[in-house]
Amino acid sequence: MHTEVQKSLFLEVVNVIENYFEQNKSSHVVDYIKGTELKDKLDLTISESGISSTELIDEIKKYLKYTPRTSHPQFANQLSGGYQFEAMLGELISFVGNNTMATYEVSPVASLIEAELVKLINDIIGIKDGDGIMLTGGSNANLMAIHCARERKFPDVKRKGNQGLDLCLFVSNEAHYSHKKAMMLMGLGLDNLIMVEADKSGRMIASDLDKKIEAAKALGKTPLIVCSTAGTTVLGAFDPIDEIDVVAKKHKLWHHVDGAWGGAVMFSPKYKKLMKGIELVDSYTFDAHKLMGTGLITSFFTTRHPDILSLANSGGGSQYIFHEYENAQFDTGRKSLQCGRKVDALKFWLQWKSKGHSGFAKFVEDQYEKQNYMVSLINENPRLKLVAQPEYLNVCFQVIPTDESLDINEYNLDLRSRLVKEGKMLTNFSRFNDGTIFFRHIFANNITENKHTDQLISHLLSDLKEE
Ligand SMILES: *Cc1c(COP(=O)(O)O)cnc(C)c1O
């Protein structure tokens, strides 16, 4: 079906990909360039007659040239990174098929794969006969949790709207910002997003949750749901799910766990205990595109309530898309907020099937070993200071300037912005409410080795003079 020109173009692209990964050994993570200047280097216009295949290859190369390399061993900037070969094949094949997940009829294999992945995840966390769906990210999985919780307690809302019910969501003040968006979108209001205190390591304090729920009730509000976080975005803290669950059950709240980032500990018998109590909760968010490196987007919402996704999300579509037929039980469209839905299941399933359970456990544990190595380097060096003791794969630390007259926060901010512009290594920064600015280094990249951590540390300590 492809023309000879397309076939040779395809082979050339395979070559470009091969070279791209090869160059990770010698190139920078990023060729930093200001947005205004990058615009001049790219020709973003669309011409009347289009471009040739040689020009197309040039555009692909240019795209890769100016795009930060997330599979570079010195990329530690995001909660995702590295490279999973089998997942890439899955991504490619799902495009080749280009099927929508709405019905079994057009995506039979993918529907069964997705159902199996949901069941596997529920099995691992200890939820029997539950349900789940893949969706467009952890943010939207958290939104789905609130949506399901509301459907469960107030099914009338579906028809009548919020009716002035002051429904509240409780999260720790270290929780992800997606909860804010969900409150705005669902018409519940930011004032009903109630922040619970976290301890020094960033874990929600269950007794404060109890207090905040009582206080909300006293104001005439209706507590609906509490979201614990398994692996907070900045510090990587795990809220005490079991303790929070006791409070949630006492007040009859839906308990959701946002494990977008930290949920991957479920694959490791050694670290799974960080989510003690997970088998008790109502629902769970997990992003495989974060620690497991499956590729954006690979995101799950799972729940112990087998009927809730359909109850909350079905509505319409029966004239043309959802038919009564022998395979209707496998249709996922009625459980989703999307109509057309991409096949995200294949890439993750191929990756998991290739590596097996022990491969996934090893992957998580390898990242912990690298984290431990970095923490020991920091602890040994008087010029480096952890801002929190890591529970997970976030290493948050400050570099102490040799010149004591310098402000430590300004110094770290300046060091980080020079690091980005230089482009050899990429690691992020964050700040506490008290103004403390620090590096947030993430171990999510399977390509990084201890020698790369050595390089980063000595580079930072030399004030970016040596590598
Ligand atoms: C990244 C993250 C999210 C958001 O997930 P997306 O897939 O980026 O939408 C939610 N919660 C936590 C704790 C996260 O780290």
Side-chain angles (χ1 to χ4, degrees):
M1 177 201 137
H2 288 127
T3 63
E4 288 310 311
V5 171
Q6 284 173 329
K7 280 184 199 164
S8 69
L9 198 60
F10 195 75
L11 294 178
E12 209 171 332
V13 170
V14 171
N15 227 348
V16 168
I17 294 173
E18 204 46 51
N19 288 335
Y20 173 80
F21 287 113
E22 200 52 41
Q23 283 158 5
N24 275 344
K25 293 189 185 131
S26 52
S27 70
H28 283 188
V29 183
V30 52
D31 281 325
Y32 177 81
I33 179 162
K34 265 168 59 175
T36 43
E37 285 162 25
L38 181 57
K39 257 187 129 164
D40 295 335
K41 300 222 180 231
L42 305 173
D43 179 7
L44 301 174
T45 61
I46 306 287
S47 71
E48 201 53 45
S49 52
I51 57 173
S52 70
S53 55
T54 343
E55 288 167 314
L56 189 73
I57 288 283
D58 286 344
E59 294 302 335
I60 290 172
K61 286 183 179 163
K62 232 192 255 179
Y63 173 85
L64 290 174
K65 175 171 167 53
Y66 292 111
T67 298
R69 293 168 169 268
T70 60
S71 55
H72 190 287
Q74 288 290 8
F75 181 85
N77 203 61
Q78 244 71 36
L79 304 182
S80 54
Y83 173 59
Q84 296 296 334
F85 177 69
E86 295 82 7
M88 189 206 62
L89 298 183
E91 179 76 9
L92 184 63
I93 298 305
S94 57
F95 184 90
V96 171
N98 196 27
N99 302 81
T100 170
M101 291 299 291
T103 59
Y104 172 91
E105 191 170 85
V106 285
S107 57
V109 189
S111 297
L112 296 179
I113 290 177
E114 182 171 307
E116 181 66 17
L117 289 172
V118 162
K119 186 176 172 314
L120 276 167
I121 291 172
N122 277 338
D123 281 351
I124 291 176
I125 62 173
I127 302 254
K128 286 193 184 56
D129 307 320
D131 197 11
I133 190 94
M134 294 187 74
L135 27 62
T136 54
S139 297
N140 293 346
N142 291 342
L143 168 77
M144 186 64 91
I146 308 170
H147 181 46
C148 288
R150 185 176 62 182
E151 169 67 27
R152 186 100 190 151
K153 212 163 185 177
F154 300 99
D156 264 11
V157 168
K158 198 168 179 174
R159 190 155 294 278
K160 297 189 174 143
N162 281 318
Q163 309 161 88
L165 287 165
D166 256 341
L167 302 179
C168 319
L169 162 71
F170 298 81
V171 292
S172 94
N173 46 31
E174 294 287 323
H176 192 256
Y177 68 91
S178 51
H179 302 296
K180 289 191 179 151
K181 297 195 187 208
M183 294 302 277
M184 298 190 278
L185 190 61
M186 292 187 61
L188 302 182
L190 287 176
D191 291 349
N192 289 326
L193 175 62
I194 298 178
M195 298 294 184
V196 181
E197 295 294 323
D199 66 15
K200 267 211 322 276
S201 353
R203 309 165 80 233
M204 190 194 288
I205 301 172
S207 59
D208 190 58
L209 170 65
D210 193 43
K211 268 188 229 151
K212 295 269 159 75
I213 293 173
E214 295 289 2
K217 283 183 178 168
L219 287 173
K221 293 180 187 279
T222 309
L224 176 73
I225 170 170
V226 53
C227 289
S228 307
T229 308
T232 57
T233 311
V234 174
L235 293 176
F238 284 79
D239 289 342
I241 295 172
D242 51 349
E243 292 171 30
I244 292 166
D245 200 71
V246 172
V247 181
K249 297 243 175 351
K250 173 180 159 195
H251 295 279
K252 300 196 168 58
L253 266 60
W254 182 285
H255 187 185
H256 177 71
V257 173
D258 176 3
W261 165 228
V265 295
M266 69 185 166
F267 298 121
S268 158
K270 189 166 168 198
Y271 293 102
K272 200 179 164 181
K273 57 177 183 285
L274 286 163
M275 296 205 295
K276 191 163 161 259
I278 185 75
E279 69 284 358
L280 305 168
V281 308
D282 293 286
S283 57
Y284 174 57
T285 291
F286 170 63
D287 274 355
H289 63 254
K290 289 203 166 156
L291 185 63
M292 303 315 287
T294 310
L296 292 148
I297 295 287
T298 317
S299 190
F300 292 85
F301 170 83
T302 75
T303 171
R304 69 184 321 105
H305 307 283
D307 55 342
I308 198 70
L309 279 165
S310 314
L311 286 172
N313 298 309
S314 60
S318 53
Q319 301 97 335
Y320 81 102
I321 186 164
F322 302 121
H323 306 295
E324 291 309 324
Y325 69 127
E326 61 185 354
N327 294 311
Q329 71 195 45
F330 299 115
D331 289 353
T332 54
R334 288 186 182 87
K335 299 195 286 192
S336 171
L337 283 173
Q338 295 168 250
C339 174
R341 191 159 65 88
K342 189 169 167 289
V343 174
D344 288 326
L346 180 63
K347 58 187 171 185
F348 186 46
W349 181 73
L350 287 177
Q351 180 189 355
W352 200 349
K353 198 158 174 74
S354 302
K355 305 278 191 251
H357 294 301
S358 66
F360 267 26
K362 181 173 182 323
F363 178 85
V364 174
E365 288 159 21
D366 282 352
Q367 300 302 318
Y368 262 101
E369 278 188 21
K370 291 185 247 174
Q371 178 260 57
N372 286 336
Y373 179 75
M374 185 174 202
V375 168
S376 68
L377 289 185
I378 292 173
N379 285 336
E380 278 162 19
N381 197 308
R383 284 201 52 217
L384 299 168
K385 184 172 92 181
L386 289 172
V387 301
Q389 204 57 45
E391 270 189 288
Y392 195 41
L393 304 165
N394 313 37
V395 180
C396 295
F397 67 99
Q398 287 184 312
V399 184
I400 299 164
T402 42
D403 178 351
E404 283 173 16
S405 69
L406 294 176
D407 177 85
I408 185 166
N409 297 317
E410 291 299 322
Y411 176 75
N412 279 270
L413 189 60
D414 174 63
L415 203 55
R416 200 278 170 169
S417 70
R418 284 191 289 129
L419 195 71
V420 175
K421 293 197 172 144
E422 181 193 61
K424 289 186 203 165
M425 304 167 178
L426 207 56
T427 185
N428 219 329
F429 78 100
S430 188
R431 62 178 91 219
F432 290 143
N433 287 338
D434 70 0
T436 306
I437 294 173
F438 52 90
F439 282 92
R440 186 203 68 167
H441 189 82
I442 297 293
F443 287 98
N445 184 335
N446 59 322
I447 294 163
T448 305
E449 298 168 35
N450 287 347
K451 69 177 182 201
H452 302 111
T453 305
D454 286 333
Q455 283 166 8
L456 170 76
I457 294 289
S458 63
H459 197 47
L460 290 176
L461 289 173
S462 75
D463 205 33
L464 309 197
K465 289 188 185 72
E466 58 177 72
E467 198 167 298

